[in-house]
Coordinates of all heavy atoms in Angstrom, one line a residue:
A23 N 33.9 -48.4 -16.4 CA 33.2 -48.2 -15.2 C 32.1 -49.2 -15.0 O 31.9 -49.7 -13.8 CB 32.6 -46.8 -15.2
G24 N 31.4 -49.6 -16.0 CA 30.4 -50.6 -15.9 C 31.0 -52.0 -15.5 O 30.4 -52.7 -14.7
M25 N 32.1 -52.3 -16.0 CA 32.7 -53.6 -15.7 C 33.2 -53.6 -14.2 O 33.0 -54.6 -13.5 CB 33.9 -53.8 -16.6 CG 33.5 -54.2 -18.0 SD 32.6 -55.7 -18.2 CE 33.8 -56.9 -17.8
L26 N 33.8 -52.5 -13.8 CA 34.2 -52.4 -12.4 C 33.1 -52.5 -11.4 O 33.2 -53.2 -10.4 CB 35.0 -51.1 -12.2 CG 36.4 -51.1 -12.8 CD1 37.0 -49.7 -12.6 CD2 37.3 -52.2 -12.3
S27 N 32.0 -51.8 -11.7 CA 30.8 -51.9 -10.8 C 30.2 -53.2 -10.8 O 29.7 -53.7 -9.8 CB 29.8 -50.8 -11.1 OG 29.3 -51.0 -12.4
G28 N 30.2 -53.9 -12.0 CA 29.6 -55.2 -12.1 C 30.5 -56.2 -11.3 O 29.9 -57.1 -10.6
C29 N 31.8 -56.1 -11.3 CA 32.6 -57.0 -10.5 C 32.4 -56.8 -9.0 O 32.3 -57.8 -8.3 CB 34.1 -56.7 -10.8 SG 34.6 -57.2 -12.4
N30 N 32.2 -55.6 -8.6 CA 31.9 -55.4 -7.1 C 30.6 -56.0 -6.8 O 30.4 -56.6 -5.7 CB 31.9 -53.9 -6.8 CG 33.3 -53.3 -6.8 OD1 34.3 -54.0 -6.7 ND2 33.4 -52.0 -7.1
T31 N 29.6 -55.9 -7.6 CA 28.3 -56.5 -7.3 C 28.4 -58.0 -7.2 O 27.8 -58.6 -6.3 CB 27.3 -56.1 -8.4 OG1 27.2 -54.7 -8.5 CG2 25.9 -56.6 -8.1
V32 N 29.1 -58.6 -8.2 CA 29.2 -60.1 -8.2 C 30.0 -60.6 -6.9 O 29.7 -61.6 -6.3 CB 29.9 -60.6 -9.5 CG1 30.2 -62.1 -9.4 CG2 28.9 -60.3 -10.6
A33 N 31.0 -59.8 -6.6 CA 31.8 -60.2 -5.4 C 31.0 -60.1 -4.2 O 31.1 -61.0 -3.3 CB 33.1 -59.3 -5.3
G34 N 30.2 -59.1 -4.0 CA 29.3 -58.9 -2.9 C 28.3 -60.0 -2.8 O 28.0 -60.6 -1.7
A35 N 27.7 -60.4 -3.9 CA 26.8 -61.5 -4.0 C 27.5 -62.8 -3.6 O 26.9 -63.7 -2.9 CB 26.1 -61.6 -5.3
G36 N 28.7 -63.0 -4.0 CA 29.4 -64.2 -3.7 C 29.7 -64.3 -2.2 O 29.5 -65.4 -1.6
K37 N 30.0 -63.2 -1.5 CA 30.2 -63.2 -0.1 C 28.9 -63.5 0.6 O 28.9 -64.2 1.7 CB 30.7 -61.8 0.3 CG 32.2 -61.6 -0.1 CD 32.7 -60.2 0.4 CE 34.1 -60.0 -0.1 NZ 34.6 -58.7 0.2
D38 N 27.8 -62.9 0.2 CA 26.5 -63.2 0.8 C 26.1 -64.7 0.7 O 25.7 -65.3 1.6 CB 25.4 -62.4 0.1 CG 25.5 -60.9 0.4 OD1 26.2 -60.6 1.4 OD2 24.9 -60.1 -0.3
M39 N 26.4 -65.3 -0.5 CA 26.1 -66.7 -0.6 C 27.0 -67.6 0.3 O 26.6 -68.6 0.8 CB 26.4 -67.1 -2.1 CG 25.4 -66.5 -3.1 SD 23.8 -67.2 -3.0 CE 24.1 -68.8 -3.8
Q40 N 28.2 -67.1 0.4 CA 29.2 -67.9 1.3 C 28.7 -67.8 2.8 O 28.7 -68.8 3.5 CB 30.6 -67.3 1.2 CG 31.6 -68.0 2.0 CD 33.0 -67.5 1.8 OE1 33.2 -66.4 1.2 NE2 34.0 -68.2 2.3
K41 N 28.2 -66.7 3.2 CA 27.7 -66.6 4.6 C 26.5 -67.4 4.8 O 26.3 -68.0 5.8 CB 27.4 -65.1 4.9 CG 28.6 -64.3 5.1 CD 28.3 -62.8 5.5 CE 29.5 -62.0 5.7 NZ 29.2 -60.6 6.1
A42 N 25.6 -67.4 3.8 CA 24.4 -68.3 3.9 C 24.8 -69.7 3.9 O 24.2 -70.5 4.7 CB 23.5 -68.0 2.7
G43 N 25.8 -70.1 3.1 CA 26.2 -71.5 3.2 C 26.8 -71.9 4.5 O 26.6 -73.0 5.0
E44 N 27.5 -71.0 5.1 CA 28.1 -71.2 6.5 C 27.0 -71.4 7.5 O 27.1 -72.3 8.4 CB 29.0 -70.1 6.9 CG 30.3 -70.1 6.1 CD 31.1 -68.8 6.3 OE1 30.7 -67.9 7.1 OE2 32.2 -68.7 5.7
K45 N 25.9 -70.6 7.4 CA 24.8 -70.8 8.3 C 24.1 -72.1 8.2 O 23.8 -72.8 9.2 CB 23.7 -69.7 8.1 CG 24.3 -68.3 8.3 CD 24.4 -68.0 9.8 CE 24.8 -66.5 10.0 NZ 25.1 -66.2 11.4
V46 N 23.9 -72.6 6.9 CA 23.3 -73.9 6.7 C 24.2 -75.0 7.2 O 23.8 -75.9 7.8 CB 23.1 -74.1 5.2 CG1 22.7 -75.5 4.9 CG2 22.0 -73.1 4.7
E47 N 25.5 -74.8 7.0 CA 26.5 -75.8 7.5 C 26.5 -75.9 9.0 O 26.5 -77.0 9.6 CB 27.9 -75.5 7.0 CG 28.9 -76.5 7.3 CD 30.2 -76.1 6.7 OE1 30.3 -75.7 5.5 OE2 31.3 -76.3 7.4
D48 N 26.4 -74.7 9.7 CA 26.4 -74.7 11.1 C 25.1 -75.4 11.6 O 25.1 -76.1 12.6 CB 26.4 -73.3 11.7 CG 27.8 -72.7 11.4 OD1 28.8 -73.4 11.2 OD2 27.9 -71.4 11.5
K49 N 24.0 -75.1 11.0 CA 22.7 -75.7 11.4 C 22.7 -77.2 11.2 O 22.2 -78.0 12.0 CB 21.5 -75.1 10.6 CG 20.2 -75.5 11.1 CD 19.9 -75.1 12.5 CE 18.5 -75.4 12.8 NZ 18.2 -75.0 14.2
A50 N 23.3 -77.7 10.1 CA 23.5 -79.1 9.9 C 24.3 -79.8 10.9 O 24.0 -80.9 11.4 CB 24.1 -79.4 8.5
K51 N 25.3 -79.1 11.4 CA 26.2 -79.7 12.5 C 25.3 -79.7 13.8 O 25.5 -80.7 14.6 CB 27.4 -78.8 12.7 CG 28.4 -79.0 11.6 CD 29.6 -78.1 11.8 CE 30.6 -78.3 10.7 NZ 31.8 -77.4 10.9
D52 N 24.5 -78.7 14.0 CA 23.7 -78.7 15.3 C 22.6 -79.8 15.2 O 22.3 -80.3 16.3 CB 23.0 -77.3 15.4 CG 24.0 -76.2 15.8 OD1 25.1 -76.5 16.2 OD2 23.6 -75.1 15.6
C53 N 22.1 -80.1 14.0 CA 21.1 -81.1 13.9 C 21.6 -82.5 13.6 O 20.9 -83.4 13.1 CB 20.1 -80.7 12.8 SG 19.2 -79.2 13.2
N54 N 22.9 -82.7 13.8 CA 23.5 -84.0 13.5 C 22.8 -85.1 14.2 O 22.8 -86.2 13.7 CB 25.0 -83.9 13.9 CG 25.8 -84.9 13.1 OD1 25.4 -85.5 12.2 ND2 27.1 -85.1 13.6
D55 N 22.3 -84.9 15.4 CA 21.7 -86.0 16.2 C 20.2 -86.2 15.9 O 19.6 -87.1 16.4 CB 21.9 -85.8 17.7 CG 21.3 -84.4 18.2 OD1 20.7 -83.7 17.3 OD2 21.4 -84.1 19.4
G56 N 19.7 -85.4 15.0 CA 18.3 -85.5 14.6 C 17.3 -84.8 15.5 O 16.1 -84.9 15.3

Side-chain angles (χ1 to χ4, degrees):
M25 291 297 291
L26 289 174
S27 65
C29 288
N30 288 336
T31 302
V32 171
K37 288 179 184 178
D38 291 341
M39 293 288 284
Q40 185 176 8
K41 286 182 181 181
E44 289 172 358
K45 297 285 184 185
V46 170
E47 189 175 315
D48 291 343
K49 187 65 174 174
K51 286 179 184 177
D52 291 343
C53 295
N54 202 14
D55 58 2

